[in-house]
Amino acid sequence: MKTKKYIKHFLFVSLIIGFFSCSDNLDIAPSDQIAKENFFQSEDDFLAATGPLYNRVWFSFNDKFYFGLGDGRSNNLYAPFSDYIFPFSDFTETGLTGPLVEAWGSLYVVIQQSNRAILGIEESPVDEDIKRQYVAEARFMRGTAYWYLASLWGDAIISTDPNALVANPIVSKNPRQDVYEFAMRDLEFAAKYLPEQEKQSGRVTKYSAFGMLSRLYLSYAGLSDNPNSSTRNQEYLDLAKSAAAKVIEEGPYMLMDDYADLYKIENNNNSESMFALQWVPNGDYGVTNPHQAFFALNSEITGDDAAWGFFTRATYDVLQIYEANDLRRHATWMADGDFYPEISKENGGYEVDHENTYLTVKKGVVGSTKDNANISRMNSALNTYMLRLGEVYLNYAEATLGNDASTSDANALMYVNTLRARAGLEDLTSLSFDDLFLERRIELCMEGQFWYDLVRRSYYKQQETINYIIAQERELVIPFTYDAETNEVSIDDTRDNQTQAIGTIDEGVFLLPYPESEVVQNPLLGEDPVPYEFTEDRITDLFD
């Protein structure tokens, strides 16, 4: 358990703001210089202050929690020996679970670093229009962090002044609905004042904010006093659709032609990427992406000893939903017989060669430093997707479907079928919730998203969602064989099912426990939430 001193520093004190050079690209390599009181004197200073919001502050969230929670808890991943995955997938996490503690802390570091940037920029003598753009960038990050907190913990502490929390860390939490609204206000401000085009490669734009709003509005639409109401708020469904339409019809983003190309280092900050964490090639600890080390099947792939993914595998549950010849499977999971020319290039590529009884992770696995000089031990240098255009297409379709049983809306069908065509699949002629649910799970698999889809569904169809999770039969480990050419998974009757203990599956699975060290430091986390007092009006002219 972390000490009170460490948690107080980690949660309530922002990271040092380093100086960054101003160029056409987002300079993400940190330096050792410390910010002074007179730091915010120019736009270059603003670029420097907001640079760490794209990597360092998210590091402990990205490290293991991103996929352990998003894909492990949703039963995309099976990893019986990885204590950063199985506590989430088995519903046995506690307030002492390491990645949970680290993620909570990381999200508040994002928030407090954003707060410090906002306060410094607002006091700067620089032109007001320029200042608003960078305040908007920091509010984008803060709003995104609060969306995660609302989705995972529900009630959380809303903070706009890190100094106040340092002086008195014993404060009441705020209700989930207020946390959501705070996040929406931040992202609505970002949508209004961020620039239409990125100032440097990899930075967010106003359309990134609209895309994130389409996600938040969808979530918020289901929230009510009755988690089994079976209906969503039409106003927020309409807002989600409008926000997604803004991105698709007006924004600068375009789908990549090849799904697999999304996960190659040379395509970082590609045309589909709307918000991605930016990791430093050959960088120091804290600005690197270690995902490959956790996923890679063996050292032949990585060229070093950091290849611990042999027992991090696709579940039988997720493999069942891939259609025959869905190209996304090959880009997401490695099966026996699969070939990857971008890995082990000096040997003519890498062919997976093992029994056809398991699949390991491909997304995030990029090869060795011999394949790309940007790769180093425990650092793939591959950006982490936080939002891409493919999701916005699906958000538009889900918002259009709304509370109906199905839709044949031309635009919704076009966007979903565009994704399916890229995957080598036939068009759908109508869309049901089940259609979209499967498309989301496959399109965004191993991008840390599917658990949040289940949480969103639980806001208005809680018992149905609980029944869905129970039907996954997580207590069983089902042996199977897999045909990589047809994407066909078959139960292997020559082997027996194995059983494993899991936690209780009820409404409690949709909220994580607070870190124990945080509750010890701030007992008010265990008390009823206190409504947040908003001090600014909502922006209401985004879609005029």
Side-chain angles (χ1 to χ4, degrees):
M1 184 175 72
K2 292 179 170 63
T3 65
K4 293 183 186 179
K5 179 179 179 182
Y6 178 75
I7 285 293
K8 183 174 180 179
H9 173 76
F10 191 60
L11 176 54
F12 295 127
V13 181
S14 72
L15 299 175
I16 291 172
I17 297 174
F19 283 87
F20 295 75
S21 64
C22 179
S23 68
D24 290 337
N25 295 314
L26 172 57
D27 191 339
I28 52 177
S31 74
D32 297 325
Q33 293 178 284
I34 299 176
K36 303 292 194 296
E37 289 183 1
N38 63 348
F39 176 68
F40 297 95
Q41 300 298 306
S42 69
E43 186 173 2
D44 286 356
D45 295 338
F46 299 168
L47 289 166
T50 52
L53 298 178
Y54 289 86
N55 52 30
R56 186 179 292 277
V57 296
W58 292 97
F59 176 78
S60 293
F61 173 87
N62 177 74
D63 183 37
K64 303 180 186 75
F65 187 84
Y66 173 87
F67 60 85
L69 191 289
D71 291 284
R73 197 170 184 81
S74 59
N75 205 38
N76 288 336
L77 275 178
Y78 169 69
F81 306 112
S82 300
D83 62 4
Y84 44 88
I85 296 175
F86 71 72
F88 300 121
S89 60
D90 298 349
F91 302 114
T92 56
E93 78 286 339
T94 71
L96 295 173
T97 300
L100 179 150
V101 175
E102 293 166 0
W104 169 276
S106 181
L107 291 171
Y108 272 103
V109 170
V110 174
I111 289 163
Q112 299 301 13
Q113 179 81 338
S114 299
N115 284 338
R116 289 206 178 274
I118 291 167
L119 293 172
I121 292 168
E122 286 180 338
E123 295 174 359
S124 169
V126 176
D127 178 79
E128 289 296 325
D129 289 340
I130 295 175
K131 286 163 57 173
R132 269 195 294 268
Q133 291 183 22
Y134 291 92
V135 168
E137 188 171 21
R139 290 188 67 168
F140 175 96
M141 299 296 180
R142 188 175 69 181
T144 300
Y146 272 119
W147 174 77
Y148 279 111
L149 286 167
S151 300
L152 296 170
W153 283 276
D155 304 336
I157 298 168
I158 297 176
S159 169
T160 58
D161 184 356
N163 296 320
L165 282 175
V166 170
N168 177 25
I170 302 176
V171 295
S172 295
K173 63 188 179 184
N174 305 109
R176 175 171 59 187
Q177 184 167 342
D178 287 359
V179 181
Y180 262 114
E181 184 170 342
F182 187 88
M184 286 189 291
R185 287 168 182 250
D186 267 352
L187 287 160
E188 286 163 349
F189 185 95
K192 187 171 182 66
Y193 293 112
L194 275 169
E196 293 189 1
Q197 300 289 332
E198 57 189 14
K199 282 187 172 289
Q200 295 172 322
S201 178
R203 285 189 181 261
V204 294
T205 69
K206 71 187 305 99
Y207 298 106
S208 306
F210 278 116
M212 197 63 74
L213 280 170
S214 72
R215 181 193 294 178
L216 264 70
Y217 291 146
L218 269 182
S219 297
Y220 196 73
L223 271 180
S224 73
D225 294 333
N226 179 6
N228 291 299
S229 67
S230 296
T231 189
R232 289 187 276 185
N233 184 307
Q234 190 61 50
E235 176 187 358
Y236 279 92
L237 290 171
D238 292 342
L239 284 171
K241 181 177 179 178
S242 295
K246 273 277 189 181
V247 175
I248 298 167
E249 297 170 6
E250 301 177 19
Y253 305 102
M254 298 177 62
L255 288 188
M256 293 282 284
D257 292 333
D258 189 328
Y259 184 81
D261 284 347
L262 286 163
Y263 313 102
K264 296 177 181 177
I265 301 168
E266 57 267 32
N267 295 323
N268 280 347
N269 300 323
N270 57 70
S271 63
E272 189 169 338
S273 178
M274 298 176 63
F275 171 36
L277 303 183
Q278 311 280 316
W279 305 111
V280 181
N282 303 300
D284 296 328
Y285 182 83
V287 292
T288 54
N289 186 358
H291 286 181
Q292 172 163 262
F294 300 121
F295 296 157
L297 174 62
N298 55 42
S299 294
E300 184 181 349
I301 291 173
T302 64
D304 54 42
D305 63 319
W308 310 314
F310 179 79
F311 286 108
T312 302
R313 302 176 175 181
T315 62
Y316 174 73
D317 182 62
V318 74
L319 293 176
Q320 291 181 91
I321 67 173
Y322 283 92
E323 296 179 49
N325 305 315
D326 189 330
L327 300 176
R328 293 173 293 192
R329 198 281 305 161
H330 181 271
T332 307
W333 307 105
M334 283 185 166
D336 177 47
D338 283 341
F339 179 74
Y340 298 95
E342 72 273 19
I343 298 174
S344 194
K345 291 178 182 177
E346 67 177 6
N347 296 317
Y350 178 76
E351 182 173 357
V352 183
D353 184 13
H354 56 58
E355 295 179 329
N356 68 342
T357 56
Y358 62 92
L359 286 76
T360 57
V361 181
K362 172 57 177 75
K363 276 188 188 178
V365 175
V366 292
S368 71
T369 187
K370 292 181 180 179
D371 298 316
N372 189 307
N374 289 327
I375 302 169
S376 56
R377 186 182 183 277
M378 291 196 69
N379 181 19
S380 68
L382 186 69
N383 285 355
T384 300
Y385 287 114
M386 301 290 274
L387 177 71
R388 60 181 177 84
L389 186 60
E391 180 193 341
V392 178
Y393 277 20
L394 293 168
N395 291 348
Y396 182 97
E398 184 175 341
T400 301
L401 175 67
N403 294 310
D404 296 332
S406 65
T407 181
S408 297
D409 178 86
N411 285 335
L413 277 169
M414 178 176 64
Y415 299 143
V416 172
N417 285 331
T418 298
L419 297 177
R420 287 177 58 82
R422 180 169 68 174
L425 302 177
E426 295 181 355
D427 285 355
L428 298 175
T429 56
S430 67
L431 299 171
S432 67
F433 175 81
D434 288 343
D435 293 328
L436 292 174
F437 196 60
L438 293 179
E439 284 299 322
R440 291 187 72 93
R441 188 176 186 184
I442 294 171
E443 177 70 23
L444 303 172
C445 193
M446 292 309 301
E447 294 180 41
Q449 279 296 312
F450 189 51
W451 177 250
Y452 303 96
D453 291 348
L454 292 172
V455 169
R456 182 169 70 250
R457 186 72 164 171
S458 76
Y459 289 163
Y460 64 103
K461 289 198 174 185
Q462 185 180 90
Q463 191 57 54
E464 178 188 289
T465 311
I466 291 171
N467 294 342
Y468 173 85
I469 296 171
I470 291 172
Q472 291 179 324
E473 296 185 315
R474 300 186 188 204
E475 70 277 10
L476 296 179
V477 181
I478 300 174
F480 62 82
T481 59
Y482 196 81
D483 186 331
E485 291 187 1
T486 62
N487 289 347
E488 183 177 356
V489 59
S490 304
I491 293 177
D492 186 352
D493 293 327
T494 67
R495 293 180 290 156
D496 294 331
N497 291 343
Q498 296 179 352
T499 60
Q500 59 183 0
I502 64 172
T504 302
I505 300 174
D506 58 19
E507 67 276 6
V509 303
F510 299 114
L511 290 176
L512 297 180
Y514 296 108
E516 183 175 304
S517 49
E518 294 292 326
V519 178
V520 170
Q521 176 179 283
N522 180 13
L524 292 181
L525 279 174
E527 303 295 329
D528 290 339
V530 174
Y532 182 75
E533 185 176 344
F534 291 95
T535 58
E536 67 174 1
D537 294 330
R538 289 276 295 271
I539 293 173
T540 59
D541 61 352
L542 291 177
F543 305 108
D544 291 348

